[in-house]
Amino acid sequence: MTPHNDETALLADADRRALKYLDSLPRRPVFPAQQAIAGLKALDQPFREQGIAAKEVLRLLDDIASPATVSSNGSRYFGFVIGATLPAAAAAERLVLAWDQCASSFDNSPAIDRIERIAGHWVLDALGLPRNSAVGFGTSATACTLACLSAARRSLLARKDWDFDGDGLIGAPEIRVVVSASVHITVKKALRVLGFGMNRLVIAPVDEHGRIDPLQLPALDDMTILCLQAGEVNTGEFDPFGTLIPKAKAAGAWVHVDGAFGLWARASSSAELVEGVELADSWTTDGHKWLNTPYDGAMAICRDADALATAMNSDAAYATASKDAQKNLTLEFSRRARGIPIWAALASLGREGLRQMIDNHIRQASHLAECLRAAGYQVLNRVVLNQVLVRADTDQQTTAIRLAAQASGQVWFGPTVWQGRPAFRLSISSWRTTDADIKLLADLLIRLKQEITD
Ligand SMILES: *Cc1c(COP(=O)(O)O)cnc(C)c1O
């Protein structure tokens, strides 16, 4: 019994089903109906002794799971900063699956090694970051932050002649970590996993926009890692890089920037918002959010290429590779060729297409904010980017409107808490989102505000 009964027909069937799914995106509820979710129970079978035909496996998945998916690849998903997938990136991913390359190094896959190098150069070019930086294509901003922060720690300790690889942390000179009061939870996770205790983090106070206030910046020295942020998750705002980074560099600190989505503003007409970010030591950003590539695709970028390459090295006698092979720049050893859809997205957009996509979302966000303000909503942020932070007249009304919008199946967005009170967060990051989608969202929210009163 071989599981590959008629591979050609099976993959053609998968493509047919995938296309049908994409076709249905405009019509399906953005969040699945309760019934579809309950239907997933049908898949909850004991592990069988005998496998079932692959064709049947696919049918089960499509019939049962497709209706229970969230339409985050559609045009009216405004939750988190999710992004859809660009056609070129999705198509490239299909080829990546057929190639099934172990994209560790040149020896494993010359093609991937070369293309990911090119993708790395393009990313640095698009984001205006130092051209000799190392670019590791990892699974997520979380994983890439972990990689960058381990490079940071190892480098700071090496400056004090401490051999981190040999002697580890016990007895090592202490490193202070300064983070913003609105630091993203995944930066904290990376720090926690690396052994920087949460109680020892030094918190930099932020202003009303969620940006570090330079006047209240804690003391920095040459044993400090300063974590800054490009794109605060609620407001979309940026730490004042132009002021903070030169100060940190003068003190000898390592500056890391979490730019999971916001760093892409560098490629837009609003690049001035992110001025000075290029002076940092390391950056993380996602492909799977604003660049609209598939999961899992993110980048660890490090000015000192050797610092990342030594921290992440995984050469063994049986598996040596160049210093800058992807397995030596990321947490993964065997890895998916995740730089390929990123290359494909950048190749298909070009500098101008990328700028237009980002500009478009920023413009749509600001238009949406205007419509909502005019309808009596409080827009709590300045809407400099693609995030719109909203509150209705009362906390109850804010929550009830969000729940009603979610239940409508027409849109989806999530809650947040801003300055201690409930709000909701509208995020525009799908290449599919048209001005008509924005109008639909605004009209729905305006209607719900009239209908739902306390
Ligand atoms: C999403 C996000 C992250 C984490 O990115 P993942 O790719 O999901 O790990 C980090 N920082 C910010 C600001 C984010 O929006």
Side-chain angles (χ1 to χ4, degrees), residues 81 139-143 184 186-187 229 231 233 258 260-261 286 288-289 298:
V81 190
T139 50
S140 61
T142 308
H184 195 268
T186 58
V187 175
Q229 185 158 252
V233 287
D258 169 19
F261 64 95
D286 274 321
H288 54 224
K289 288 181 177 171

Side-chain angles (χ1 to χ4, degrees), residues 285-308:
T285 192
D286 274 321
H288 54 224
K289 288 181 177 171
W290 216 353
L291 185 58
N292 280 247
T293 62
Y295 298 95
D296 314 307
M299 290 138 268
I301 306 172
C302 193
R303 172 189 296 278
D304 177 353
D306 283 351
L308 185 62

Side-chain angles (χ1 to χ4, degrees), residues 140-146 148-149 179-180 182-191 226-233 236-239 241 245 255-264 274 277 280-286 289 298-299 301 385:
S140 61
T142 308
C144 289
T145 297
L146 202 131
C148 286
L149 292 176
V179 299
S180 148
S182 58
V183 63
H184 195 268
I185 189 64
T186 58
V187 175
K188 281 192 178 170
K189 174 175 172 177
L191 288 165
L226 172 64
C227 297
L228 302 180
Q229 185 158 252
E232 204 274 339
V233 287
E237 297 254 3
F238 301 86
D239 285 330
F241 303 117
I245 300 181
V255 181
H256 175 74
V257 178
D258 169 19
F261 64 95
L263 208 52
W264 292 96
V274 212
V277 80
D281 295 289
S282 57
W283 306 261
T284 48
T285 192
D286 274 321
K289 288 181 177 171
M299 290 138 268
I301 306 172
L385 207 64

Side-chain angles (χ1 to χ4, degrees), residues 284-356:
T284 48
T285 192
D286 274 321
H288 54 224
K289 288 181 177 171
W290 216 353
L291 185 58
N292 280 247
T293 62
Y295 298 95
D296 314 307
M299 290 138 268
I301 306 172
C302 193
R303 172 189 296 278
D304 177 353
D306 283 351
L308 185 62
T310 44
M312 288 294 112
N313 182 275
S314 57
D315 278 344
Y318 82 99
T320 52
S322 61
K323 191 161 74 166
D324 56 354
Q326 282 293 318
K327 79 171 176 105
N328 290 336
L329 297 176
T330 59
L331 291 172
E332 290 75 26
F333 186 69
S334 304
R335 57 184 290 282
R336 184 188 188 88
R338 45 180 54 87
I340 302 304
I342 291 171
W343 175 86
L346 293 173
S348 74
L349 288 170
R351 202 185 301 280
E352 190 171 323
L354 178 60
R355 182 170 53 236
Q356 276 172 8

